Amino acid sequence: MNENLFASFITPMILGLPLVTLIVLFPSLLFPTPNRLVSNRLISLQQWMLQLVSKQMMSIHNTKGQTWTLMLMSLILFIGSTNLLGLLPHSFTPTTQLSMNLGMAIPLWAGAVVTGFRNKTKASLAHFLPQGTPTPLIPMLVIIETISLFIQPVALAVRLTANITAGHLLIHLIGGATLALMSISMTTALITFIILVLLTILEFAVAMIQAYVFTLLVSLYLHDNT
């Protein structure tokens, strides 16, 4: 119990070199490339899930927005697989790092906003000033809308970081409490262990849901600008 609570969120190092790059690239090895005329069950399941998610997410987009399909599908696969791998014992979850999530959110948000200003300049500028605004409130509303626009990538990154970090901390705390209670009361320790198992199952769901929510919000930002 003397272990640092946040030790699992420290970037792993070997010989003074960070291993984040290798960890980030590792999930891509888990998705096999179909190279046969008849796919096996794993590849068929992978393709079915991608088609289902892409149909739900990209159906609202026009032709310009649908050109982002490959990027958004790659994004949801990367975030989902990274979150799930982080639930393994003695592993590291890159999505608990706010810097990495900002590195994903800011370029995607900026790309969507720049696309909107290029293709729909008047409509994009109209978002800063709703129709029928009283003249004295125009400067204040422009400032508020500008701040809300720039907060969008920060909200994306903070939401993903907070949800994944909170789940990992709960698992760590309840796991430590289970070990401590084993020497005091086996009945209480068993109840705590059942809670830990249920929480772990919930975290698997949260890992997938957060990947979907992150990608869906990027898709909605893109839809507003195309």
Side-chain angles (χ1 to χ4, degrees), residues 110-128:
V113 171
V114 170
T115 301
F117 277 104
R118 286 185 60 186
N119 300 327
K120 297 167 54 178
T121 306
K122 291 184 179 180
S124 298
L125 292 175
H127 287 298
F128 293 97

Side-chain angles (χ1 to χ4, degrees), residues 32-226:
T33 304
N35 53 8
R36 299 177 181 178
L37 184 61
V38 180
S39 302
N40 57 27
R41 291 184 179 88
L42 179 60
I43 294 178
S44 298
L45 178 62
Q46 173 185 325
Q47 292 175 344
W48 174 78
M49 291 183 64
L50 284 176
Q51 290 175 359
L52 179 64
V53 174
S54 61
K55 185 182 295 184
Q56 291 181 347
M57 195 172 295
M58 306 307 295
S59 59
I60 60 175
H61 291 277
N62 55 21
T63 305
K64 291 181 180 178
Q66 289 177 357
T67 58
W68 285 52
T69 303
L70 181 60
M71 182 182 296
L72 293 179
M73 291 303 101
S74 301
L75 180 67
I76 193 172
L77 282 175
F78 171 73
I79 298 177
S81 57
T82 304
N83 291 346
L84 290 176
L85 286 174
L87 293 173
L88 297 176
H90 304 289
S91 60
F92 172 73
T93 313
T95 47
T96 57
Q97 306 296 311
L98 183 60
S99 57
M100 176 177 170
N101 296 335
L102 283 173
M104 292 189 295
I106 292 177
L108 292 169
W109 165 84
V113 171
V114 170
T115 301
F117 277 104
R118 286 185 60 186
N119 300 327
K120 297 167 54 178
T121 306
K122 291 184 179 180
S124 298
L125 292 175
H127 287 298
F128 293 97
L129 188 62
Q131 188 176 6
T133 304
T135 304
L137 296 178
I138 288 178
M140 183 181 299
L141 277 179
V142 170
I143 294 173
I144 292 174
E145 291 297 328
T146 304
I147 293 174
S148 66
L149 178 66
F150 283 97
I151 279 179
Q152 287 177 354
V154 179
L156 268 180
V158 170
R159 181 186 294 106
L160 179 59
T161 304
N163 281 281
I164 301 301
T165 303
H168 283 55
L169 285 176
L170 276 175
I171 290 176
H172 182 85
L173 289 171
I174 296 178
T178 303
L179 289 176
L181 289 171
M182 287 179 65
S183 58
I184 302 174
S185 172
M186 287 300 298
T187 304
T188 309
L190 180 61
I191 296 174
T192 311
F193 179 74
I194 294 173
I195 296 175
L196 178 62
V197 172
L198 295 176
L199 180 62
T200 304
I201 295 173
L202 176 64
E203 278 305 303
F204 275 96
V206 169
M208 300 303 297
I209 291 171
Q210 288 305 314
Y212 181 78
V213 168
F214 189 97
T215 311
L216 179 63
L217 289 175
V218 173
S219 175
L220 292 178
Y221 295 157
L222 176 65
H223 177 258
D224 292 338
N225 290 280
T226 54

